[in-house]
Amino acid sequence: MTYMSLSLKKTAKSSLINEQIEHQRLTSLINSMADAVIAVDVKGRVVLYNGATLNILDINTLKTNTSLSRIFKPVDKDNQPVDILHMVQSTLIPTTNRDLRLQYADGSLINLYLSIAPVHLGYGQEGQSGYVLLLRDITREKSLEEERDEFISVVSHELRTPITISEGNISNAQMIVDRSGDIDMVKKALKDAHTQVLFLADMINDLSTLSRAERGTLEVKVETINVHDLFMELVRDYTPQAKARGLEIKTVLDPKLEVVYSTKLYVREILQNFITNAIKYTEKGGVTLSAKPVAKGVEFAVSDTGIGISKSDQERVFDKFFRSEDYRTRQSNGTGLGLYVTMKLARLIHAEISMESELNVGSTFKIFVPNLQ
Ligand code: ADP
């Protein structure tokens, strides 16, 4: 064997080894991906796939040559079956889709991102044509997107009514001044406009607290809260509002109770939300604030003798923008954000909220505030 042929053999061998290393690298790369990668031939038969494919398609095994349509049966956003083979085979340029869904055997539904790219599989002349599919579970992104869209649509809808009413009343007031100058009518129009502007201010406040709570920029600073003083402040602040509706505010304070260690601003805001609701949704009787020491903290309760909350509504009162359809609820202004914000604040200070209510009898909102030190 000449030196020449020996070295040629060596080069061929090392390039084979290099190719194998390259192949292993690529295999471990696509196997480490969280997205499913499936290569199919022109007839839609599986040629290659990575580990995540089994996960995303929720199957135990996958044999090469299996038809894609047997293992991947997506539905569209109206739950109509999609002819995946046709979709793949009609792809001429790389395309993506974010509207497909996949139903798993346990009934759960996931949202999928699917990209399809026509490719030439393999090298040189022997290579075959086909398609590479990439599938990603985008359920979480989709639900965040939907939540954001719904939020924007509800906020703009909720803002529109008070803005229209206040604009109408202000332009009415201007017209009355120009025409008759009837001061009582002007006063009434301005009063109605003012009520709506106050409502808007409340809503913007709730939204701002909410956005800070959601972005995690609200600070939890632990301080000593004197429960007696806190109750006195709340009674002083809310008695005028309660009186205006012919209601009485009572307090029941356990004499053994002195302080709790938490963030005063949030404990106060949570109780304020409970109290304003108790006053708003009570037609006769009153509101009772109570507090008692419990293991590792304090339990506060705000009870009312109001309209109560039906069983089905009880499950939804902490939802964003939820307001009961009960006509008595609709008699007073509200954003449906108060209890949602309350829940966010409670989480920040590790407090637990519970509620009991009976329609036409009354409601009790309780909060356990743990000592944070
Ligand atoms: P709102 O601005 O409508 O008061 P909240 O988030 O504070 O919003 O409350 C959501 C809904 O829960 C209210 O619209 C009402 O239907 C119900 N609710 C809350 N507190 C009470 C209560 N004390 N009595 C009766 N219904 C209540």
Side-chain angles (χ1 to χ4, degrees):
M1 196 182 288
T2 62
Y3 172 77
M4 185 72 175
S5 68
L6 225 171
S7 89
L8 256 181
K9 262 199 171 164
K10 253 189 173 169
T11 334
K13 202 172 164 197
S14 72
S15 90
L16 192 71
I17 292 175
N18 278 346
E19 225 171 74
Q20 278 172 350
I21 293 176
E22 189 72 2
H23 184 260
Q24 276 169 0
R25 272 202 193 134
L26 282 172
T27 312
S28 65
L29 183 83
I30 68 160
N31 272 328
S32 65
M33 287 173 71
D35 299 338
V37 179
I38 313 170
V40 295
D41 62 16
V42 277
K43 295 211 165 117
R45 288 176 306 211
V46 176
V47 178
L48 260 175
Y49 63 91
N50 69 346
T53 304
L54 301 180
N55 250 347
I56 293 197
L57 295 181
D58 195 28
I59 49 177
N60 294 325
T61 49
L62 174 54
K63 286 204 182 99
T64 48
N65 261 336
T66 308
S67 170
L68 184 66
S69 56
R70 277 193 52 204
I71 46 146
F72 182 33
K73 297 180 176 137
V75 291
D76 63 15
K77 52 178 186 294
D78 304 315
N79 277 342
Q80 293 307 310
V82 171
D83 182 349
I84 190 69
L85 222 45
H86 178 257
M87 185 184 226
V88 169
Q89 288 170 329
S90 49
T91 303
L92 299 174
I93 50 163
T95 30
T96 59
N97 185 316
R98 288 173 57 84
D99 291 324
L100 294 183
R101 303 196 294 171
L102 200 57
Q103 181 144 31
Y104 285 160
D106 66 358
S108 59
L109 206 59
I110 65 156
N111 292 92
L112 278 183
Y113 163 87
L114 168 68
S115 106
I116 308 172
V119 284
H120 190 69
L121 301 168
Y123 301 107
Q125 301 259 306
E126 294 132 49
Q128 38 174 173
S129 291
Y131 305 88
V132 168
L133 280 73
L134 185 137
L135 275 77
R136 181 178 306 150
D137 179 351
I138 53 162
T139 314
R140 203 178 125 69
E141 285 106 304
K142 269 275 177 186
S143 86
L144 286 175
E145 272 169 32
E146 276 163 20
E147 204 179 303
R148 188 199 56 203
D149 292 350
E150 189 201 329
F151 185 74
I152 294 173
S153 111
V154 176
V155 170
S156 44
H157 177 261
E158 292 293 322
L159 292 177
R160 197 176 307 133
T161 315
I163 289 175
T164 312
I165 301 178
S166 25
E167 192 279 325
N169 276 303
I170 294 169
S171 79
N172 239 349
Q174 282 170 331
M175 218 165 62
I176 301 165
V177 170
D178 286 345
R179 294 203 182 142
S180 62
D182 181 334
I183 195 71
D184 286 338
M185 280 176 81
V186 174
K187 271 190 188 160
K188 161 122 192 17
L190 288 180
K191 184 167 173 274
D192 290 347
H194 186 222
T195 309
Q196 296 302 322
V197 173
L198 285 180
F199 168 73
L200 284 172
D202 270 355
M203 181 156 180
I204 307 263
N205 261 341
D206 279 347
L207 286 173
S208 139
T209 316
L210 181 62
S211 115
R212 281 183 298 142
E214 280 183 340
R215 277 184 292 135
T217 52
L218 286 180
E219 202 191 336
V220 176
K221 92 174 167 221
V222 182
E223 53 208 327
T224 311
I225 308 173
N226 181 313
V227 181
H228 177 265
D229 292 353
L230 175 65
F231 265 38
M232 288 305 106
E233 284 171 31
L234 289 169
V235 171
R236 183 195 63 212
D237 292 352
Y238 286 92
T239 297
Q241 214 172 307
K243 272 208 172 131
R245 286 181 54 81
L247 304 171
E248 196 193 345
I249 297 194
K250 279 193 287 192
T251 55
V252 179
L253 201 62
D254 190 309
K256 291 193 291 294
L257 186 62
E258 286 176 355
V259 295
V260 59
Y261 303 99
S262 188
T263 309
K264 184 170 179 191
L265 185 68
Y266 306 151
V267 175
R268 201 188 141 93
E269 189 148 338
I270 293 169
L271 291 173
Q272 276 175 344
N273 278 339
F274 290 160
I275 300 169
T276 22
N277 280 346
I279 296 174
K280 263 198 308 193
Y281 305 120
T282 300
E283 290 166 330
K284 57 179 191 300
V287 176
T288 307
L289 316 185
S290 52
K292 63 175 187 202
V294 287
K296 297 185 181 142
V298 174
E299 185 182 87
F300 293 94
V302 177
S303 305
D304 64 56
T305 54
I307 61 174
I309 306 166
S310 70
K311 283 266 175 296
S312 59
D313 282 354
Q314 283 180 26
E315 287 167 20
R316 303 171 61 199
V317 287
F318 292 99
D319 290 355
K320 205 186 272 183
F321 294 114
F322 175 79
R323 301 205 72 210
S324 167
E325 293 295 337
D326 191 315
Y327 73 97
R328 294 168 300 179
T329 305
R330 301 301 170 123
Q331 276 169 347
S332 55
N333 271 330
T335 59
L337 279 174
L339 289 180
Y340 182 73
V341 171
T342 299
M343 197 53 111
K344 292 263 168 196
L345 293 178
R347 278 198 200 125
L348 276 180
I349 54 168
H350 307 288
E352 281 159 32
I353 292 180
S354 59
M355 178 231 341
E356 279 164 30
S357 184
E358 196 178 329
L359 208 53
N360 302 320
V361 175
S363 315
T364 300
F365 283 83
K366 284 187 188 161
I367 179 160
F368 161 65
V369 178
N371 282 317
L372 294 179
Q373 73 176 28

